[in-house]
Amino acid sequence: MQYMQKITEKLLPLCLILLVTLCLVATVRAERVYLDITATDVRKIVIAIPDFVGTGAGAANQGRAMADLLGRALELHGFAKVVDPATYGSTQVADWQQYGVDFVVRGKYTLSGKQLVIEGRLQDIAENRMLAGRRYKGQVSQQDDMILRLADALVKEFTGEEGISRTSIAYISDETGAKEVFISDVLGRTKRQITRHRHLCVSPRFTPDGNYLAYTTYHRGNQDLYITDLRQNKVTRALSRRKGMNLAPAFAPDGRTMVVTLSKDGSPDLYLLNRKGKILKRLTRGMGINVSPSFSPDGKSLVFVSDRSGQPQLYRMEMATGQVRRLTFDGQENSEPSWSPKGDMIVYTGRVGGQYHLFLISAEGGRPKQLTSGWGDYESGTWSPDGKQIVFSRKRNGHSEICAIFASGKDMRVLLPMAGNQSYPRWSPRPR
């Protein structure tokens, strides 16, 4: 019985959602109009999230905490402004138009032993009707995950695409005295130390399923590449410990192969490896330094950095033919490209007037757009899985922190306010 109980507890997270039911209580419209949250002129919708109402024997007063977390998750996506509940007494019934509210989320929860049921319903105030409802069931320990699932479902209701509330950010931090790999949830509530090498680590990279994280470390005296299974805390294995560089893998979208920078033969070049670290193919050969690969979402193309023209510039390679063409012509030092999940844009770091800034360029090339401005260095841009935001490191006065900005160039802010210096951020895929 104890064995079966343990198996049940392990399987329970997979069965977390008892119901994810869309309940349209009004007449279905012929055509659904979603918010374009990437537009620069979009007005934020105003949402009220009163305290969740709890019932059941021994129910703890978690209603405010649930509402607060839901509000933070919705505001993360940039299209919503949550009204301070103190203005209306955090009650579920109020004159919402008086407070300029567009939508209200009414939540409730039921506690029964270690089981928890959370429900949320979305009301359109202008049209005075309920739009959708969601219901989740799980263990009490899964409370926050259920709230974040609700948030992502509501984001989809507004935008047509599921949210990113349950994603994470991998990064390098020196808070322990050495530059180690950490992972934080995207809201900065919890963090987890991944490496304990007590030596320099750089360039963390998630696999497409989000279950593994690769990184480069110098703890054996060479720039070696390792990978760790994030579902456990013990085993880390070497992917490549060849002489010289073993750096920054770009995983193919199917997760079966990766492109890695190796300098085992002298000049840094790009190689295609399988998941066991075996070289399948050499992609570049001695034409300057070739580094920083990033796959297109369909896996057919690769963007990378090469100084074959005399200065670091972005190049695009077609994987089927090996054909390479130059993408950037502006700027003398362009690096760290990251291909957007939508496949249309590439963000990269460029040097302007002695400072590093983020730029956007079409995946087909053309005129780049400068995304960041102001003093400091802005580097290592990487996309959110919905393709709407970019996370990066910003360095000012010797202090480096993780920030985010929307692809439209608006709403730059510190994403992870933490101790120490943080760098090399990488946004995880959505959890499966």
Side-chain angles (χ1 to χ4, degrees):
M1 291 298 293
Q2 289 181 344
Y3 175 77
M4 290 304 298
Q5 183 178 357
K6 290 181 180 179
I7 293 296
T8 302
E9 289 176 352
K10 289 182 179 180
L11 290 176
L12 188 56
L14 299 177
C15 306
L16 173 64
I17 308 175
L18 177 65
L19 290 174
V20 185
T21 309
L22 180 64
C23 305
L24 296 177
V25 297
T27 303
V28 178
R29 287 173 284 186
E31 182 178 353
R32 186 64 190 266
V33 178
Y34 294 108
L35 291 173
D36 178 10
I37 65 176
T38 62
T40 57
D41 58 348
V42 64
R43 178 185 74 86
K44 290 188 177 184
I45 62 174
V46 180
I47 301 177
I49 309 177
D51 292 3
F52 281 47
V53 176
T55 58
N61 185 21
Q62 292 296 310
R64 181 69 260 147
M66 292 180 181
D68 284 343
L69 180 57
L70 180 61
R72 288 187 61 191
L74 290 178
E75 289 190 328
L76 166 72
H77 295 81
F79 66 86
K81 176 184 178 183
V82 177
V83 179
D84 183 351
T87 61
Y88 57 87
S90 203
T91 177
Q92 292 208 356
V93 179
D95 183 359
W96 300 116
Q97 291 183 338
Q98 173 186 346
Y99 302 105
V101 172
D102 299 309
F103 297 89
V104 177
V105 179
R106 289 190 173 88
K108 63 180 181 179
Y109 64 99
T110 303
L111 183 63
S112 178
K114 294 184 178 181
Q115 297 296 308
L116 178 66
V117 177
I118 294 178
E119 298 180 58
R121 302 184 70 189
L122 179 66
Q123 181 183 5
D124 184 331
I125 298 303
E127 298 188 13
N128 192 29
R129 62 184 183 129
M130 292 294 179
L131 291 180
R134 297 293 192 279
R135 186 172 186 265
Y136 304 89
K137 182 179 180 180
Q139 291 185 332
V140 172
S141 61
Q142 296 170 299
Q143 173 181 309
D144 285 0
D145 189 59
M146 286 189 277
I147 291 295
L148 296 179
R149 287 177 184 269
L150 173 60
D152 285 347
L154 292 175
V155 170
K156 186 173 184 179
E157 181 68 19
F158 285 115
T159 69
E161 184 173 359
E162 188 176 359
I164 56 172
S165 306
R166 298 169 60 237
T167 60
S168 302
I169 305 292
Y171 60 96
I172 305 298
S173 175
D174 65 359
E175 65 174 84
T176 63
K179 292 187 176 182
E180 303 272 15
V181 180
F182 286 76
I183 292 180
S184 169
D185 71 286
V186 73
L187 296 177
R189 300 173 303 130
T190 60
K191 63 183 177 182
R192 172 185 171 190
Q193 185 173 346
I194 303 301
T195 64
R196 300 180 188 276
H197 296 305
R198 300 179 183 177
H199 284 80
L200 174 64
C201 298
V202 296
S203 303
R205 298 288 190 272
F206 287 99
T207 54
D209 60 10
N211 290 331
Y212 293 82
L213 189 75
Y215 60 92
T216 295
T217 176
Y218 292 78
H219 77 280
R220 287 168 53 95
N222 190 58
Q223 195 181 53
D224 297 331
L225 180 62
Y226 288 79
I227 192 167
T228 185
D229 187 341
L230 297 175
R231 296 167 295 184
Q232 50 82 55
N233 291 306
K234 296 181 180 179
V235 180
T236 295
R237 66 179 178 88
L239 276 177
S240 180
R241 292 194 295 211
R242 297 171 175 92
K243 181 181 177 181
M245 282 187 180
N246 299 269
L247 183 63
F251 288 96
D254 63 7
R256 297 177 181 176
T257 59
M258 56 188 161
V259 174
V260 178
T261 297
L262 303 177
S263 62
K264 63 185 184 66
D265 296 326
S267 178
D269 275 303
L270 301 180
Y271 293 78
L272 183 69
L273 278 62
N274 65 16
R275 284 289 293 269
K276 293 183 179 181
K278 179 182 178 181
I279 294 177
L280 303 177
K281 185 178 182 180
R282 185 171 182 171
L283 301 179
T284 62
R285 188 175 296 273
M287 296 183 65
I289 295 174
N290 300 283
V291 295
S292 301
S294 177
F295 268 104
S296 62
D298 60 11
K300 295 181 179 180
S301 303
L302 191 77
V303 62
F304 65 99
V305 175
S306 178
D307 67 353
R308 61 187 65 185
S309 64
Q311 296 287 345
Q313 298 289 346
L314 270 57
Y315 290 80
R316 175 171 172 168
M317 174 185 292
E318 304 309 318
M319 295 300 292
T321 64
Q323 181 181 358
V324 174
R325 62 185 177 92
R326 184 172 168 178
L327 284 182
T328 57
F329 295 86
D330 295 336
Q332 297 182 341
E333 188 177 338
N334 297 320
S335 61
E336 302 180 312
S338 177
W339 212 308
S340 75
K342 305 291 186 184
D344 57 339
M345 302 296 293
I346 294 169
V347 64
Y348 67 94
T349 302
R351 191 170 184 179
V352 179
Q355 293 181 328
Y356 292 100
H357 283 283
L358 298 183
F359 290 80
L360 289 177
I361 191 170
S362 167
E364 302 301 323
R367 188 75 175 177
K369 170 188 174 183
Q370 185 170 334
L371 191 63
T372 59
S373 60
W375 67 283
D377 289 318
Y378 303 75
E379 300 178 88
S380 303
T382 180
W383 296 86
S384 61
D386 61 0
K388 295 180 172 66
Q389 301 187 54
I390 297 165
V391 67
F392 59 94
S393 64
R394 180 180 66 184
K395 188 174 183 180
R396 290 176 171 178
N397 293 331
H399 176 67
S400 182
E401 57 191 349
I402 304 300
C403 300
I405 191 172
F406 283 87
S408 62
K410 67 177 182 178
D411 196 18
M412 182 188 298
R413 74 275 188 199
V414 176
L415 186 65
L416 302 179
M418 295 182 174
N421 293 283
Q422 293 82 40
S423 58
Y424 294 102
R426 206 72 180 180
W427 213 312
S428 78
R430 291 185 179 93
R432 296 180 180 179

